[in-house]
Amino acid sequence: MRSLFPRFRCRECSYLLQIGPSLTPTYYCDGFPGKRKPKRFPKSGPAYPKDWCPRLISPPICRIYDFIDDRHRFMDCFIREAWEARPRKCISPERRRYEVKTVITLGLSAKEFFEKMRDYRLSDVIPDMVFNGGEVIEIDDGLRPYRFYVYSNSLVIPVNQYSWGG
């Protein structure tokens, strides 16, 4: 079974450079800003991002999206009805209906957030925020953002990354 939160691999990154013959290549990370020269990976090659990864955001950023207006909030009832009729692992809200409401530092990875939601309510995990349902919580570590649809204070559903456009 595939994990909801697969670990990002350097080979997925557009900044990975491979130089030399295909049997014994040398790998470099070219994601550094400015004119800094690329950093060479060890001979074992790239696997998972290191602490020095230029794309890595630590701690991850948490963006909270809300509806643009009441019309878009009303249209969300169709997404909810479709999911209620046939619950799945993910839900597919439309990105065009949302705008960023606030950005906070949550201090949790997407996986940690989702696991914490099994035992706690959303108001306990993200205090001082009022959720009405339908909002989208995005946790972005710079490598791969994960999004969660707020169904209720006790249930968040992972968002299908392809429906959101990312």
Side-chain angles (χ1 to χ4, degrees):
M1 186 172 125
R2 268 184 22 190
S3 170
L4 277 175
F5 308 100
R7 199 164 165 204
F8 186 85
R9 294 177 169 275
C10 290
R11 294 190 189 268
E12 299 173 47
C13 185
S14 60
Y15 292 112
L16 180 67
L17 297 178
Q18 177 181 337
I19 299 173
S22 61
L23 294 176
T24 57
T26 303
Y27 294 98
Y28 294 88
C29 176
D30 192 28
F32 296 96
K35 295 184 178 187
R36 183 173 166 190
K37 68 180 189 175
K39 184 166 180 140
R40 185 177 180 173
F41 281 98
K43 286 195 184 262
S44 59
Y48 299 106
K50 310 283 187 217
D51 290 338
W52 51 259
C53 175
R55 291 184 56 198
L56 190 62
I57 300 170
S58 184
I61 295 172
C62 178
R63 294 180 192 91
I64 299 173
Y65 293 84
D66 202 355
F67 295 104
I68 293 171
D69 56 31
D70 288 335
R71 182 176 64 90
H72 291 292
R73 183 175 299 282
F74 175 76
M75 295 301 290
D76 183 60
C77 71
F78 298 113
I79 300 291
R80 293 171 82 85
E81 286 176 3
W83 188 85
E84 289 169 0
R86 201 165 166 206
R88 296 189 177 177
K89 196 182 289 189
C90 295
I91 194 166
S92 301
E94 296 179 51
R95 169 66 180 101
R96 65 188 174 96
R97 300 191 186 286
Y98 291 87
E99 65 184 359
V100 176
K101 176 181 174 181
T102 189
V103 178
I104 61 172
T105 302
L106 190 57
L108 299 171
S109 69
K111 185 176 183 179
E112 292 167 340
F113 170 75
F114 192 64
E115 288 172 355
K116 203 166 191 172
M117 281 302 301
R118 290 182 183 165
D119 301 326
Y120 298 96
R121 299 175 69 78
L122 187 56
S123 56
D124 298 330
V125 178
I126 305 177
D128 303 325
M129 289 289 303
V130 176
F131 292 95
N132 299 313
E135 295 93 344
V136 172
I137 298 170
E138 177 182 69
I139 299 178
D140 185 3
D141 64 359
L143 302 172
R144 182 182 292 142
Y146 289 98
R147 297 167 192 96
F148 303 92
Y149 178 86
V150 177
Y151 188 83
S152 68
N153 194 35
S154 57
L155 177 64
V156 294
I157 306 164
V159 169
N160 181 337
Q161 70 181 26
Y162 301 107
S163 73
W164 192 260

